[in-house]
Amino acid sequence: MLYKGCAGVIVLFAALVLYSVFIFDREKGELEWREAQAEKTAEITYTDFENWTAYNISKEGSQWTSTTNDPILIGPTMVTSQAKQTYLRIELSVNGAGEVQVFWRGTGESFSEARSKVFSGKTIEIMVDGDVEQIRIDPAMKPGVDFAVHRVRIMKYR
């Protein structure tokens, strides 16, 4: 009897793992499909973050550390191109478990929870409806977290 119960748990666990892999692959496939179906109007890549504005963050070399539970890194204002969609890819490393929140805003908008998404992982990819003028990265949710942003790539599509 105990064997049947364990087998059910194992089957349920395997189903959940397969479901999560399927959902991840579907989202990745949707990003690729959207990118292939549209005309690229702009591409911007950042590898130097000296011109980004940092709040509640200390910096030593290429290593950054959150000093409060709300560290903020804001990118420069980008030229808008009447894009219908904007693709964001952010590559970073964060020491310790935690989440990264990415915000975006268009012309005349402010950053808000409604235009943000929370991620965990080293590579963040998202397709946003509309033309993005500026992004904000909140790399941690607590003080004392070391992180480095390696690359931010933004592609705009019409």
Side-chain angles (χ1 to χ4, degrees), residues 122-134:
K122 294 182 179 185
T123 301
I124 296 167
E125 292 182 287
I126 185 171
M127 185 70 82
V128 175
D129 289 332
D131 198 353
V132 172
E133 184 179 53
Q134 194 170 37

Side-chain angles (χ1 to χ4, degrees), residues 5-15:
C6 289
V9 169
I10 291 171
V11 169
L12 178 62
F13 178 74

